[in-house]
Amino acid sequence: MELNEVSARSHAIRQKYHALEEKHHGSRWTVEEDALAFLTDAALVGRLTMDQQGRWPKTSNDELAQKIGESVWWLAILAERTGLSLEECVEKFLTEKEAWLNK
């Protein structure tokens, strides 16, 4: 799957969540709330990875793949909500790291 497709599908899903937020709470989550939700899921990726590697008492039921996918989803949302392109962010990062490591 291409990153632009990830971004488009992520945006469509987030719009449906925004509708639920407005229905149940009267307003959409802020960008800061989205960032906090991402951080929560990113922390769970760490804990679930430790669990998978036998470095943490068993607490999950194979949620690692789900939380990795959800973290990528949140990153696509955060890029879009802050006016950035997920594809351009990833491309810039990879290009700079490759250049730095190839010195």
Side-chain angles (χ1 to χ4, degrees):
M1 178 182 311
E2 298 289 324
L3 286 177
N4 58 358
E5 182 182 355
V6 170
S7 292
R9 290 175 66 185
S10 295
H11 179 74
I13 291 167
R14 189 69 185 103
Q15 292 308 305
K16 292 180 181 183
Y17 273 108
H18 280 316
L20 290 171
E21 293 157 5
E22 289 173 346
K23 178 180 176 182
H24 295 290
H25 303 289
S27 64
R28 293 177 176 201
W29 278 14
T30 64
V31 175
E32 296 88 347
E33 288 170 309
D34 281 357
L36 182 58
F38 161 68
L39 290 174
T40 301
D41 286 329
L44 287 170
V45 167
R47 179 63 52 87
L48 293 167
T49 299
M50 289 176 69
D51 179 19
Q52 184 201 51
Q53 297 298 307
R55 303 296 290 172
W56 191 260
K58 186 73 173 159
T59 58
S60 70
N61 52 4
D62 300 322
E63 294 178 72
L64 181 57
Q66 171 71 18
K67 285 301 172 186
I68 289 173
E70 191 169 5
S71 293
V72 171
W73 176 74
W74 276 122
L75 289 172
I77 295 306
L78 289 169
E80 184 263 330
R81 291 199 73 192
T82 57
L84 299 169
S85 159
L86 178 66
E87 187 172 13
E88 289 174 11
C89 290
V90 173
E91 176 63 33
K92 183 177 189 296
F93 172 79
L94 294 175
T95 299
E96 288 176 358
K97 286 300 171 197
E98 289 166 340
W100 185 79
L101 290 169
N102 290 325
K103 286 184 184 179

